[in-house]
Amino acid sequence: EETNFDFNNALIFIDDPVSSLDSNHIFKVYAFINEKLKDCGQLFITTHNFDFFNLLKDLIKYDFKTKGNFYLVKKIISQTAECSCIENLPNVLLKYKSEYNYLFSILKSFNTPSDKSNFGLLYLLPNILRRFFEAYLFMKYPDGKKFDSKAKTFLKDTNISNKQNIL
């Protein structure tokens, strides 16, 4: 603003502006983007934060002049190389505001085919299962207790060897 920067022709790229911020600061970054950057020529924002991502979806939907596009940067690991590709965002991420729905769709798509040799997904599956299980337990038992306590309550009727495999 001080140098009469021409926002209408500017291309602005912001890489994960809310990394390690608490929710109050996430909303401040969202407000800044909404107030100061909505008139720029092109705006690219990357994030790992699901809550911030949902705010950005609303920002595009309601506040910006033109509709934006959303993409997923996917890491691909093969036996000979590692690379990334940019894909259209899965519809389940656009449609729902809950990470729970997205995680469920990944688990369901993995369970559906008989061939379970998607090694990239197999590598991520334990973390996806853990996050799904956490989200499920926090919805099932909204009692303020920690995850371990909720998991023990959920698994109270499960035999000991299965419990040890899960926890």
Side-chain angles (χ1 to χ4, degrees):
E1 293 173 345
E2 292 177 7
T3 60
N4 295 321
F5 186 74
D6 183 8
F7 280 108
N8 293 325
N9 293 316
L11 185 145
I12 298 174
F13 181 88
I14 303 172
D15 182 26
D16 210 1
V18 298
S19 179
S20 302
L21 298 179
D22 64 17
S23 60
N24 289 332
H25 289 92
I26 290 172
F27 284 104
K28 288 180 181 181
V29 170
Y30 167 78
F32 172 82
I33 290 170
N34 187 31
E35 181 182 331
K36 299 289 186 179
L37 302 179
K38 66 180 172 184
D39 293 328
C40 73
Q42 281 189 301
L43 177 62
F44 295 89
I45 301 172
T46 59
T47 187
H48 296 116
N49 186 299
F50 199 76
D51 294 325
F52 184 64
F53 166 68
N54 280 316
L55 290 172
L56 291 175
K57 286 192 306 188
D58 287 344
L59 188 70
I60 297 300
K61 189 175 181 181
Y62 300 114
D63 294 329
F64 275 54
K65 291 184 244 176
T66 58
K67 186 170 171 63
N69 294 312
F70 293 94
Y71 301 97
L72 181 70
V73 178
K74 194 173 198 179
K75 184 175 184 178
I76 300 172
I77 302 171
S78 71
Q79 293 178 343
T80 57
E82 291 184 20
C83 61
S84 297
C85 70
I86 299 173
E87 299 178 347
N88 286 323
L89 192 69
N91 284 333
V92 69
L93 283 174
L94 285 173
K95 187 175 179 182
Y96 299 107
K97 288 193 174 203
S98 168
E99 184 178 26
Y100 180 79
N101 295 99
Y102 176 60
L103 296 173
F104 180 80
S105 73
I106 293 172
L107 294 173
K108 184 177 179 206
S109 69
F110 177 77
N111 192 46
T112 303
S114 58
D115 179 18
K116 306 277 194 269
S117 63
N118 181 343
F119 293 108
L121 187 56
L122 284 172
Y123 179 75
L124 298 173
L125 212 54
N127 192 42
I128 291 168
L129 281 166
R130 178 192 56 80
R131 293 191 57 168
F132 178 81
F133 191 48
E134 284 176 354
Y136 175 76
L137 291 180
F138 279 95
M139 286 186 293
K140 183 167 178 69
Y141 305 111
D143 54 13
K145 294 181 181 175
K146 296 199 179 275
F147 172 74
D148 290 350
S149 174
K150 292 173 187 299
K152 287 176 184 170
T153 300
F154 182 77
L155 298 169
K156 71 178 183 282
D157 295 329
T158 304
N159 71 43
I160 192 72
S161 63
N162 286 343
K163 267 188 214 181
Q164 289 172 342
N165 287 336
I166 294 170
L167 298 174

